[in-house]
Amino acid sequence: QCGMLFHLTDSKRMLASVDKMTEAGNEVKFGPKANDNFVQNIASGKKIPLKKRHGVYVMEVFFIDGAKRISGEIIIDSGAAECVMPRSMLPNLETLAAKAGVRFAAADGAEIGNYGRKMINFQPNDFSTRA
């Protein structure tokens, strides 16, 4: 099981910051072949494959919501400074206070809201270990 802290915003999709992922001890790799795209935890060696879909890299996961597992995806975003998600997503999970002074902008420069944070626990659809 994995976990990441996401900011609740007006974003349309869940975006995970490559910067935040590498700070947490992961390597993120993008390459020309399907098996070249993955997130690997440096300490454990576990790899999560990424799929390229419509020009973006996606991690297919099951979100953990109490006893429920909800199928979904997280877009791996090398341009994002923070991990963000739609504020209406996974409504049963606890909402933490917004981080003071943090502002967000969409790709077009428009400001988007900052409505709090959620710790998102998930299981990748496919885990592998070092060869």
Side-chain angles (χ1 to χ4, degrees):
Q1 185 168 310
C2 304
M4 296 175 72
L5 188 64
F6 283 82
H7 295 271
L8 306 177
T9 68
D10 296 316
S11 64
K12 304 289 185 219
R13 300 174 76 184
M14 186 174 241
L15 306 174
S17 163
V18 169
D19 182 54
K20 295 298 179 190
M21 295 173 81
T22 58
E23 283 179 5
N26 299 290
E27 175 184 6
V28 181
K29 184 163 186 292
F30 305 111
K33 298 177 189 160
N35 62 350
D36 288 342
N37 306 301
F38 58 85
V39 176
Q40 182 172 24
N41 182 272
I42 295 167
S44 71
K46 289 187 176 181
K47 280 186 183 181
I48 303 169
L50 302 176
K51 298 191 176 177
K52 191 170 182 182
R53 192 175 300 136
H54 306 292
V56 297
Y57 293 91
V58 174
M59 180 188 312
E60 294 177 340
V61 302
F62 290 104
F63 297 111
I64 310 300
D65 184 359
K68 291 191 297 186
R69 289 173 15 126
I70 301 165
S71 183
E73 65 182 29
I74 302 171
I75 296 171
I76 308 305
D77 191 342
S78 62
E82 295 285 345
C83 300
V84 299
M85 65 185 277
R87 69 176 163 168
S88 62
M89 190 174 180
L90 301 168
N92 296 328
L93 298 180
E94 178 185 8
T95 298
L96 307 170
K99 190 173 179 182
V102 175
R103 297 174 66 177
F104 297 101
D108 65 2
E111 188 164 339
I112 58 177
N114 178 4
Y115 305 106
R117 298 172 291 167
K118 288 186 180 183
M119 175 53 80
I120 305 300
N121 293 306
F122 59 92
Q123 261 182 324
N125 285 7
D126 184 17
F127 246 144
S128 61
T129 57
R130 278 185 209 144

